[in-house]
Amino acid sequence: MQFVTRHLKALLALLFVSAGAGGILLAQQAQQNSRDFGLDSAANYEVTGIFVNATGENAEEARRNAWEQAQREGWRMLYARVNGGSAAQAPNLSDSSLSAVVTGIIVEEEQIGPTRYVGRVGVMFDRARVSRYLGVSGVIRRSPPMLVLPVQWVGSTPMSFEERTPWQRAWLRFRSGESPIDYVRASGTGPTPLLLTVGQTGRPGRGWWRFLLDSYGAADVVIPVVHLHYAYPGGPVVGRFVAYHGPDRRKLAEFSLRVTNSNSLEQLLDEGVRRIDAAYTQALEDGRLRPDPSLNFEFGLDEDALEEALDELEGSVAAAETRRSAPEVNTEQATATGRYTIQVVTPDANAVRSSESAVRGTPGVRGATTSSLAIGGVSLMEVDYIGDLDTLASALASRGFQVERGAGTLRISRGGGSNGTPPEGE
């Protein structure tokens, strides 16, 4: 009976811890969903991959002891990462001091027993609170703003922001606060799925790249690529990671990672992000991660060229005004437009059309219409002209007409078209 009671208590404790762990997982899922929309994580330091193994009188105490162990180990790892050297050089902080600077525990894997807790967790430290213990001094080199355009390949299908992918979510989960790379991460909402596509990564033109970078407040682009190979559904997954930089896709690093089953895909991708970030950091230190100079241009007009163009335009306008003010005829003739009736020898229909066209094209003529048609004889044409009749006769003669002057009228014809009869009224 005591044996049954003891194990029943252990089972109830396990169920209680599992319920608490379920709440933690739900909170973590909500946090992950919020991070998937590109929330900034620069306010925290994150240390992951901490293995813990602790015991207690019950499952709750075992978990509490394990998390305190994770805080102490995470503090030493963070101090060594920020200041260099070994973790043993980190100053000893009390558990209460560490609890004051720790903002959360991330459960990566866990196994909970009645009196034991085994797992792999991560620890988040508040940047403002923990900085006084880290003793960071000097100037930290930072990169220019880099737009992140992640590309995921599964088989022969690439995908970037066209749909939300596990690789994109891994980059949104990554806490870049301690990285010297200034990542600009798009959330994937709004026009982003139409702009940041796989096709954009192969676009050589700098104009569209400049438009995108200006739209997202970046100076250059990094293109982290992962090729995922599934052995079989639910089985091992191999990821081949490639770190590219710039619109010309210069390769900076390449490596492969493997997990035993697809349930560990997030762990695979998170580790890939950390290693790619390390590759970009190394490239920044040795001078390879520099903004492409072909992207550094400004739109605008050359002021000297603009002044020269304006001078030419002023000269053209002045010349046009001079031509417009110059009289085409003498001053007396240019005061008004006169309407004259002239006789046109029209042996056939073609002569009518050609005569009208030629008269309309005569300088000073504002209109010409055949008012009386006589094919094979003499037609009458009404002509609006700026000037007197003598000037009109000279203008028509210059257009190739044979002109005969009568009393208040003219008779015109093409070569050989006149019948010798003087104009009516002469």
Side-chain angles (χ1 to χ4, degrees):
M1 186 65 179
Q2 293 180 354
F3 176 80
V4 175
T5 303
R6 185 170 62 252
H7 282 272
L8 180 59
K9 290 181 178 179
L11 179 61
L12 291 175
L14 179 61
L15 292 175
F16 175 78
V17 172
S18 298
I24 294 172
L25 291 177
L26 290 176
Q28 290 168 354
Q29 183 177 2
Q31 184 181 15
Q32 175 180 341
N33 290 338
S34 67
R35 287 199 304 264
D36 283 350
F37 287 95
L39 298 181
D40 189 15
S41 57
N44 292 321
Y45 286 115
E46 181 178 4
V47 180
T48 58
I50 304 173
F51 290 92
V52 292
N53 187 346
T55 59
E57 294 183 0
N58 52 52
E60 180 67 22
E61 183 178 346
R63 184 180 63 175
R64 184 170 58 251
N65 293 337
W67 286 5
E68 290 178 353
Q69 176 187 341
Q71 290 180 177
R72 291 190 293 269
E73 182 63 24
W75 159 247
R76 288 191 289 268
M77 295 172 62
L78 176 62
Y79 188 90
R81 187 165 64 191
V82 174
N83 293 278
S86 64
Q89 298 174 351
N92 293 324
L93 298 180
S94 64
D95 290 337
S96 59
S97 298
L98 289 174
S99 298
V101 298
V102 171
T103 60
I105 301 293
I106 304 172
V107 178
E108 300 175 2
E109 291 182 4
E110 64 177 6
Q111 295 178 1
I112 305 174
T115 60
R116 190 170 186 177
Y117 184 97
V118 179
R120 187 177 68 248
V121 300
V123 182
M124 288 190 295
F125 295 89
D126 185 88
R127 175 185 292 269
R129 296 176 183 175
V130 79
S131 59
R132 58 176 177 171
Y133 300 117
L134 289 174
V136 179
S137 60
V139 178
I140 300 177
R141 183 181 181 185
R142 298 281 293 179
S143 75
M146 296 285 181
L147 178 64
V148 181
L149 210 164
V151 178
Q152 172 184 293
W153 285 81
V154 178
S156 59
T157 304
M159 193 72 65
S160 183
F161 282 93
E162 294 87 344
E163 294 182 5
R164 193 175 295 275
T165 65
W167 185 228
Q168 179 190 350
R169 288 194 292 268
W171 275 97
L172 292 177
R173 285 194 302 269
F174 177 63
R175 298 187 179 275
S176 59
E178 57 202 83
S179 173
I181 310 301
D182 186 5
Y183 294 111
V184 178
R185 292 173 287 185
S187 64
T189 59
T192 298
L194 301 176
L195 298 177
L196 302 183
T197 62
V198 175
Q200 177 61 34
T201 62
R203 187 189 298 272
R206 296 304 194 262
W208 187 250
W209 272 114
R210 185 67 265 172
F211 167 77
L212 290 180
L213 295 176
D214 288 342
S215 299
Y216 289 92
D220 206 340
V221 62
V222 290
I223 307 173
V225 180
V226 61
H227 298 260
L228 296 178
H229 302 277
Y230 294 83
Y232 52 86
V237 183
V238 176
R240 183 169 64 87
F241 299 86
V242 187
Y244 293 104
H245 165 238
D248 293 330
R249 292 169 59 96
R250 293 192 302 110
K251 183 188 295 186
L252 300 180
E254 181 176 359
F255 57 91
S256 296
L257 298 174
R258 181 180 183 273
V259 291
T260 56
N261 57 73
S262 57
N263 293 330
S264 303
L265 178 61
E266 286 192 0
Q267 177 185 349
L268 171 76
L269 297 178
D270 290 342
E271 180 63 23
V273 171
R274 283 190 288 270
R275 294 199 183 186
I276 285 183
D277 173 66
Y280 286 140
T281 301
Q282 181 61 39
L284 176 65
E285 292 177 356
D286 58 30
R288 290 179 296 154
L289 192 69
R290 293 177 296 181
D292 191 328
S294 63
L295 295 173
N296 188 21
F297 62 88
E298 298 180 358
F299 296 98
L301 293 176
D302 186 349
E303 294 184 359
D304 295 336
L306 180 60
E307 290 293 338
E308 183 178 351
L310 289 176
D311 292 340
E312 293 180 358
L313 180 60
E314 290 178 359
S316 300
V317 171
E321 291 293 339
T322 302
R323 290 193 299 269
R324 189 178 296 111
S325 60
E328 297 182 2
V329 294
N330 60 53
T331 305
E332 293 180 357
Q333 295 169 346
T335 56
T337 299
R339 175 176 287 265
Y340 305 100
T341 301
I342 62 175
Q343 302 173 7
V344 184
V345 178
T346 52
D348 50 34
N350 289 332
V352 177
R353 290 191 294 270
S354 62
S355 296
E356 282 187 356
S357 177
V359 172
R360 290 193 184 102
T362 302
V365 173
R366 294 294 178 261
T369 305
T370 300
S371 58
S372 177
L373 179 62
I375 297 177
V378 178
S379 301
L380 299 181
M381 182 180 299
E382 300 293 331
V383 179
D384 294 328
Y385 180 70
I386 300 177
D388 58 12
L389 194 61
D390 293 334
T391 307
L392 176 59
S394 301
L396 292 175
S398 65
R399 296 285 291 174
F401 286 103
Q402 293 182 356
V403 182
E404 300 178 17
R405 180 76 166 80
T409 187
L410 300 175
R411 173 180 290 181
I412 62 174
S413 63
R414 293 297 185 180
S418 173
N419 57 9
T421 304
E424 295 179 3
E426 186 174 1

